Amino acid sequence: EGACVQAYENGVIIYSPKTGAWEQYGDIRNKFVAAGSVDGSLGFPVSGIASSSYGNYQEFENGIIIANSNGIIFSYGSIYEKYLEKKDKLGQLVADINTNIGIYGASVQAFESGVIISSPKTGTWEQYGAIRQKFIEIGSVNSVLGLPFGPINCSIGFEGACVQAY
């Protein structure tokens, strides 16, 4: 598709007609290669390496790689999309996506203040706060509740009350 890469002493520049030309180096480059490079779940870079309060990061067609005090972490697909919606509630990424939680092909990714759980059967939903703590107490995805089936809803008419369906 007209894509190419040029190697340099300390990194590369990756070009695609669709996404442009972007530099890549260091730990972010190493994580990108380990995740399958452009053929992996992230796709092509859509930005250069930048800095924020969360650390250094690079955005991709389908996700992000962040290098911060928690390590070098990537997020992609529906979990990353949900994170973009809920990042004010979830905080920083703290772990890579875990695809081996053992129920309905589900995946989970940990954040500073909660998780996002995704399953082809039930969708992709955030979990945080007191609801997250209770879910862990009763056995998490292996409990009688199973996987989340909807978002946390705090607008159910009772002051301060929230609910999540399973």
Side-chain angles (χ1 to χ4, degrees), residues 35-143:
S37 192
V38 296
D39 294 322
S41 53
L42 293 166
F44 282 92
V46 296
S47 77
I49 294 176
S51 294
S52 76
S53 60
Y54 287 147
N56 294 329
Y57 67 93
Q58 186 165 28
E59 296 174 301
F60 298 85
E61 291 176 293
N62 305 312
I64 193 167
I65 294 175
I66 298 175
N68 60 30
S69 61
N70 297 309
I72 314 304
I73 302 159
F74 73 100
S75 186
Y76 59 89
S78 63
I79 288 179
Y80 180 62
E81 290 170 16
K82 183 63 69 176
Y83 169 69
L84 291 175
E85 290 175 30
K86 303 294 181 176
K87 66 182 171 182
D88 61 318
K89 299 282 187 189
L90 296 168
Q92 292 183 34
L93 285 162
V94 296
D96 281 337
I97 293 174
N98 178 353
T99 58
N100 299 312
I101 65 173
I103 184 168
Y104 304 123
S107 302
V108 64
Q109 186 157 36
F111 298 85
E112 189 174 46
S113 302
V115 298
I116 295 175
I117 302 171
S118 182
S119 156
K121 182 176 179 180
T122 60
T124 303
W125 306 106
E126 73 284 356
Q127 205 179 53
Y128 53 85
I131 288 177
R132 173 77 181 143
Q133 292 308 313
K134 180 53 80 173
F135 188 65
I136 291 168
E137 286 174 22
I138 64 171
S140 190
V141 297
N142 297 313
S143 75

Side-chain angles (χ1 to χ4, degrees), residues 154 156-162:
C154 296
I156 59 173
F158 298 103
E159 189 174 314
C162 298

